[in-house]
Amino acid sequence: MEISDLTPFKNISEDSLNKIKNNSNLLSYKLGQPMAIRDIIPNEILLILEGEARLISDHENKKTTICKLSNGSFIGLGSLLRAQASEQITASQETKVLS
């Protein structure tokens, strides 16, 4: 999947898309691997290109999936905007992201 296929990037110029691609890294996460940790503000934003992840709630020592994230979902953006770590996200299958 190309980022130009995703809704947030549909109206961005080709030049801007090339700048994003040239300043980004392609990363892979395996099943169960943490993608965002609740106690750490990430230093990057991840954009899911392929695969799935789950946003997890940990209430009274019980983990629950709040929602599944897939192509076009951002990881880390909420924590950065809030300037407070708040996301617990793990890959629920092999997942490729743009960092």
Side-chain angles (χ1 to χ4, degrees):
M1 170 170 281
E2 290 289 322
I3 61 170
S4 58
D5 296 332
L6 301 172
T7 302
F9 300 96
K10 284 202 184 278
N11 296 319
I12 294 179
S13 71
E14 192 66 34
D15 185 49
S16 294
L17 285 172
N18 285 330
K19 286 179 184 176
I20 291 170
K21 289 176 187 177
N22 292 334
N23 291 294
S24 301
N25 295 309
L26 187 60
L27 304 173
S28 293
Y29 290 86
K30 296 181 189 229
L31 172 66
Q33 187 175 3
M35 299 174 78
I37 300 170
R38 179 182 319 279
D39 301 328
I40 299 173
I41 297 174
N43 60 355
E44 60 191 358
I45 296 171
L46 306 177
L47 172 63
I48 298 178
L49 299 176
E50 294 177 22
E52 261 187 7
R54 54 187 200 125
L55 176 62
I56 300 169
S57 170
D58 191 3
H59 182 67
E60 297 178 358
N61 293 324
K62 184 177 181 183
K63 293 185 189 282
T64 306
T65 298
I66 296 173
C67 69
K68 293 233 177 167
L69 306 172
S70 60
N71 298 355
S73 296
F74 290 97
I75 296 173
L77 184 59
S79 294
L80 285 172
L81 289 173
R82 294 180 67 214
Q84 180 180 354
S86 59
E87 298 166 284
Q88 178 83 22
I89 299 173
T90 60
S92 58
Q93 59 183 249
E94 176 112 5
T95 303
K96 292 183 182 175
V97 301
L98 192 66
S99 165

